[in-house]
């Protein structure tokens, strides 16, 4: 038996949300993929600084979110902030864009798991199954975890994410160890290095490495102290991702040498991280990295599935989607129907790619995460803009100038990155034929969201307040 009226169990601590958020960002895969591409196509040795600059912009975004959060009394997802600042129709547009973005990321991450699982088992155990089989198994496992209570997923992600972080720490320590043959240089943080090559592309790839951090807001109704818990987790996650990515990428650059790393990335950016481990650590670490690339993709898929489910759940409660999606499992208190719908939709999409014999990395992952990068950055920019509008409408409150400045800086920074993604979309995804038109899904989904918000009318605000 299920109910649509009870609120989710407030079981998540700040550390649980931190793991859910950072796991969605997939640190190991982000360094191996976006980091290496940023070195090759972006600003080369300046890539570590690109992570820090991206982190500054996103910290501004997070601060604006935190300052506005006490005034948002309903559902915690970012679309609620857009609605609060820019109105119901803008909120509906943001919500439906977010749904498309997260569903696409689940599909891409599933394909990524299939690819890395095939590589690991084929190379190390002689067990050569197609990525399609591994992807199907992944969808089943992720669906089971997503159906159950959120704390189960958080515990599993904490283990997988800790292993990812530890193996990257091992590389950093081995490179910077006093007896290491690496020569420590600081060109990555000098202006000449930061603005070498294509700074814009480097910044774009850096921002793409943060995809998933914004999902913290989705867990407000399940956090022990609501917005307060989410705010702590969000800021901690952004700080961690920015600093950790910068240090890890700096270690890779130092490992090859500033004068050689771009050429090394040019040989094959996809294997840059593996070669770095091979230069400084025992060959067993390469096997471990291959294994953790697989688990990183699995962890990201679980986190992204949870995020997508909670968007459907929130919109079901607010009558912008069928209200059955807003029901909770009577015993588990999980949004089980929303989770099943996410599993069904992503399974159909993965199957479509599989039957089309698409390449799991160059087609599936590239197209879905390219679309997600654009959608998430636009969603963040809209949220920052809503902070600005809200601040202007409540200018008598203390800290008015501070809040306004923070909101304007974050909005401007995110708008610039959105323009960079649009201008360099083919560089981000490659030429994918019909899939090059995927960005049109964003205005289409926004239009549907506006229509849904118009039809649901005042019900959405009332439902959200009742469920908070």
């Amino acid at each position: 038996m299920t109910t649509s009226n009870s609120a989710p169990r407030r079981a998540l601590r700040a550390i649980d949300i931190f793991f859910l958020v950072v796991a969605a960002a997939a640190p190991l895969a982000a360094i191996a993929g976006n980091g290496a591409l940023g070195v090759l196509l972006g600003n080369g040795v300046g890539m570590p600084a690109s992570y820090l600059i991206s982190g500054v912009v996103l910290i501004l975004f997070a601060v604006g979110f935190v300052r506005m959060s006490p005034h948002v009394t309903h559902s915690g997802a970012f679309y609620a902030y857009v609605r609060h600042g820019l109105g119901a129709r803008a909120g509906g547009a943001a919500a439906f864009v977010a749904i498309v973005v997260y569903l696409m990321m689940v599909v891409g991450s599933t394909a990524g798991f299939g690819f890395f699982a095939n590589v690991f088992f084929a190379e190390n155990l002689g067990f050569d199954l197609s990525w399609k089989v591994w992807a199907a198994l992944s969808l089943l496992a992720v669906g089971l975890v997503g159906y159950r209570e959120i704390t189960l997923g958080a515990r599993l992600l904490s283990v997988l994410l800790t292993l990812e972080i530890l193996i990257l720490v091992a590389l950093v320590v081995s490179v910077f160890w006093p007896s290491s043959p690496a020569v420590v240089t600081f060109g990555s943080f000098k202006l000449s290095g930061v603005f070498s090559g294509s700074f814009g592309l480097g910044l774009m790839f850096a921002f793409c490495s943060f995809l998933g951090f914004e999902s913290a807001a989705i867990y407000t109704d399940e956090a022990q102290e609501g917005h307060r818990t989410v705010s702590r987790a969000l800021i901690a996650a952004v700080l961690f991702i920015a600093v950790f990515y910068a240090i890890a990428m700096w270690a890779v650059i130092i490992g090859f040498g500033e004068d050689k790393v771009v050429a090394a990335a040019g040989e094959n950016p996809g294997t840059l991280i593996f070669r770095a481990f091979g230069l400084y650590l025992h060959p067993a670490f390469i096997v471990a990295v291959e294994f953790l690339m697989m688990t990183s993709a699995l962890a990201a898929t679980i986190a992204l599935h949870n995020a997508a489910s909670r968007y459907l759940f929130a919109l079901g409660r607010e009558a912008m989607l069928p209200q059955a999606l807003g029901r909770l499992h009577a015993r588990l208190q999980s949004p089980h129907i929303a989770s099943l719908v996410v599993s069904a939709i992503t399974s159909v999409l993965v199957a479509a790619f599989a039957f089309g014999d698409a390449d799991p990395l160059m087609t599936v992952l590239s197209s879905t995460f390219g679309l997600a990068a654009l959608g998430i950055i636009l969603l963040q920019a809209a949220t920052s803009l809503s902070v600005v509008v809200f601040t202007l409408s409540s200018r008598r409150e203390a800290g008015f100038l501070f809040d306004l400045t923070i909101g304007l800086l974050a909005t401007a920074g995110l708008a610039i990155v959105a323009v960079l993604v649009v201008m360099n979309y083919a560089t981000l995804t490659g030429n994918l034929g019909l899939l090059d038109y995927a960005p049109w899904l964003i205005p289409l989904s926004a239009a549907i969201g506006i229509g849904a918000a118009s039809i649901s009318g005042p019900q959405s605000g009332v439902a959200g307040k009742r469920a908070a």
Side-chain angles (χ1 to χ4, degrees):
M1 183 176 178
T2 60
T3 175
S4 60
N5 294 321
S6 61
R9 183 183 297 128
R10 290 190 177 276
L12 291 178
R13 303 163 297 167
I15 189 65
D16 295 323
I17 297 175
F18 174 87
F19 280 123
L20 285 162
V21 169
V22 180
L28 185 58
I31 293 295
N34 290 322
L37 287 172
V39 169
L40 176 62
L41 302 174
N43 54 338
V45 298
M47 191 61 193
S50 295
Y51 282 123
L52 296 179
I53 294 169
S54 299
V56 169
V57 175
L58 292 175
I59 281 291
L60 293 174
F61 168 82
V63 169
F65 163 81
V66 170
R67 299 280 289 190
M68 186 175 171
S69 63
H71 304 278
V72 181
T73 57
H74 42 285
S75 176
F78 279 168
Y79 81 85
Y81 291 74
V82 175
R83 177 174 63 191
H84 197 74
L86 302 180
R89 289 181 175 83
F96 277 73
V97 168
I99 289 171
V100 170
V101 162
Y102 279 104
L103 288 173
M104 290 300 102
M105 286 199 288
V106 173
V107 171
S109 192
T110 299
F113 171 81
F115 173 83
F116 291 118
N118 169 262
V119 170
F120 174 78
F121 284 101
E123 291 188 359
N124 297 291
L125 299 175
F127 193 53
D128 192 0
L129 278 179
S130 168
W131 74 269
K132 303 170 186 178
V133 177
W134 290 115
L137 294 173
S138 169
L139 287 168
L140 178 61
V142 169
L144 289 173
V145 173
Y147 186 89
R148 297 184 60 82
E149 71 272 21
I150 188 66
T151 51
L152 172 64
R155 287 193 296 270
L156 177 59
L157 293 179
S158 69
V159 174
L160 298 177
L161 181 60
T162 299
L163 293 174
E164 278 187 65
I165 292 169
L166 287 177
I167 197 124
L168 285 170
V169 168
L171 176 62
V172 171
V173 171
S174 66
V175 170
F176 288 103
W177 196 256
S179 59
S180 167
V183 178
V184 178
T185 54
F186 296 89
S188 293
F189 306 103
K190 295 179 180 179
L191 289 179
S192 59
V194 174
F195 293 100
S196 64
S198 175
F199 171 69
L201 280 177
L203 196 63
M204 181 185 73
F205 282 114
F207 264 93
C208 291
S209 300
F210 285 79
L211 289 185
F213 99 92
E214 73 293 324
S215 61
I218 298 168
Y219 302 109
T220 301
D221 287 346
E222 295 166 274
Q224 289 180 348
E225 298 178 68
H227 288 290
R228 188 175 178 181
T229 299
V230 167
S231 298
R232 289 197 296 264
L234 180 65
I235 291 179
V238 177
L239 282 170
F240 175 82
I241 292 171
V243 175
F244 186 70
Y245 281 11
I247 293 173
M249 200 69 242
W250 186 29
V252 172
I253 290 168
I254 294 299
F256 285 99
E258 288 185 1
D259 58 336
K260 298 177 182 177
V261 68
V262 175
E267 292 177 17
N268 185 347
T271 63
L272 186 69
I273 189 76
F274 298 103
R275 283 178 280 146
F277 274 93
L279 288 173
Y280 290 89
L281 291 163
H282 190 277
F285 277 88
I286 299 178
V287 177
V289 173
E290 290 179 348
F291 174 78
L292 290 173
M293 286 289 287
M294 175 180 67
T295 61
S296 175
L298 179 62
T301 308
I302 292 171
L304 294 166
H305 175 100
N306 283 334
S309 299
R310 276 145 186 83
Y311 261 106
L312 293 181
F313 170 73
L315 295 183
R317 286 193 306 176
E318 299 183 13
M320 291 175 66
L321 285 175
Q323 292 184 326
L325 293 170
R327 294 176 182 169
L328 292 170
H329 193 282
R331 179 173 60 86
L332 299 173
Q333 289 292 287
S334 63
H336 61 302
I337 296 177
S339 178
L340 289 172
V341 170
V342 170
S343 292
I345 294 173
T346 53
S347 294
V348 169
L349 292 173
V350 171
F353 278 115
F355 285 125
D357 205 26
D359 184 282
L361 286 188
M362 301 307 296
T363 301
V364 187
L365 190 66
S366 180
S367 62
T368 54
F369 272 77
L371 176 65
L374 179 58
I376 287 293
I377 291 167
L378 289 173
L379 182 61
Q380 291 169 350
T383 304
S384 286
L385 181 60
S386 73
V387 171
V388 172
V389 174
F390 172 77
T391 302
L392 288 171
S393 67
S394 55
R395 65 180 63 195
R396 293 181 181 178
E397 296 192 5
F400 164 73
L401 288 178
F402 176 82
D403 292 349
L404 182 61
T405 301
I406 290 294
L408 287 172
L409 289 174
T411 304
L414 290 163
I416 290 170
V417 177
V419 171
L420 286 173
V421 172
V422 171
M423 291 175 59
N424 298 285
Y425 192 78
T427 302
L428 185 63
T429 64
N431 293 313
L432 300 173
L434 185 62
L435 291 173
D436 289 338
Y437 297 96
W440 286 104
L441 286 173
I442 292 177
L444 177 60
S445 57
I448 294 172
I450 292 171
S454 300
I455 293 171
S456 63
Q459 296 181 63
S460 60
V462 173
K465 291 178 180 179
R466 182 180 66 241

